[in-house]
Amino acid sequence: MDIKLDDLTGSEVTALIGEHLQSMALHSPPESMHALNLEELKKPEITFWSAWEQSELVGCGALKELDGEYGEIKSMRTSSSHLRKGVAMRILEHIIEEAKRRGYKRLSLETGSMDAFEPAKRLYASFGFQYCKPFSDYIEDPNSVFMTKEL
């Protein structure tokens, strides 16, 4: 699998982000949906990667810098045709390594509390992420869970 920096202009990536946003809208009420659209993902504090198997897009993920020592995982998504193949694990490993390289001391994330998000929560827990209180600009929300990891 080749994980590379992405400028979010390719049609495959555009489609995968669209799939991600549709899925989030399906499982989360609008006031609890924190997924970023293409324009939001292009902000300077966000680094976005796409993951490829030959010429096929298999997933994506992003890292948002909250401050010089703190990052947030955003837009983790595996293509629906590549679920349960280790794509998310590899992208998460890549993001954690980049956060360490940058000198971050903590990495956090927000995900849904509903059953549809159980695989994501299990993945994050397997990497040592623990449940925590809301961070950054998030507030308590019964539709969200927050997880964090010391690096």
Side-chain angles (χ1 to χ4, degrees):
M1 181 180 313
D2 182 28
I3 299 174
K4 59 185 180 180
L5 278 174
D6 197 293
D7 64 6
L8 295 140
T9 58
S11 60
E12 299 97 333
V13 170
T14 299
L16 185 59
I17 295 301
E19 179 183 316
H20 180 60
L21 292 171
Q22 285 178 336
S23 177
M24 296 302 103
L26 180 66
H27 298 291
S28 301
E31 67 276 9
S32 298
M33 194 173 113
H34 303 289
L36 302 177
N37 65 32
L38 283 171
E39 288 310 307
E40 292 167 320
L41 286 168
K42 291 178 183 178
K43 290 184 176 177
E45 66 271 19
I46 298 176
T47 306
F48 183 88
W49 294 274
S50 55
W52 301 81
E53 292 272 342
Q54 290 81 37
S55 61
E56 188 172 0
L57 179 63
V58 297
C60 64
L63 178 58
K64 178 180 181 180
E65 183 168 297
L66 299 176
D67 67 35
E69 297 183 342
Y70 194 8
E72 179 183 1
I73 296 171
K74 297 297 292 180
S75 301
M76 286 278 297
R77 184 71 183 188
T78 300
S79 169
S80 56
S81 58
H82 291 278
L83 297 174
R84 289 173 285 288
K85 295 180 181 177
V87 173
M89 181 184 74
R90 291 281 311 281
I91 295 169
L92 184 55
E93 286 171 346
H94 184 84
I95 291 172
I96 292 169
E97 286 307 310
E98 176 63 18
K100 288 178 180 177
R101 189 191 68 71
R102 292 181 182 185
Y104 292 175
K105 294 186 175 13
R106 178 181 296 277
L107 196 53
S108 298
L109 62 97
E110 179 276 337
T111 192
S113 62
M114 300 74 137
D115 289 345
F117 298 95
E118 282 304 315
K121 291 184 279 188
R122 282 194 305 269
L123 172 69
Y124 296 128
S126 75
F127 275 80
F129 284 83
Q130 298 179 339
Y131 292 98
C132 65
K133 296 283 184 196
F135 61 94
S136 188
D137 296 329
Y138 293 105
I139 59 171
E140 286 287 347
D141 181 345
N143 298 302
S144 291
V145 297
F146 306 93
M147 301 180 82
T148 194
K149 176 183 175 68
E150 297 282 337
L151 300 177

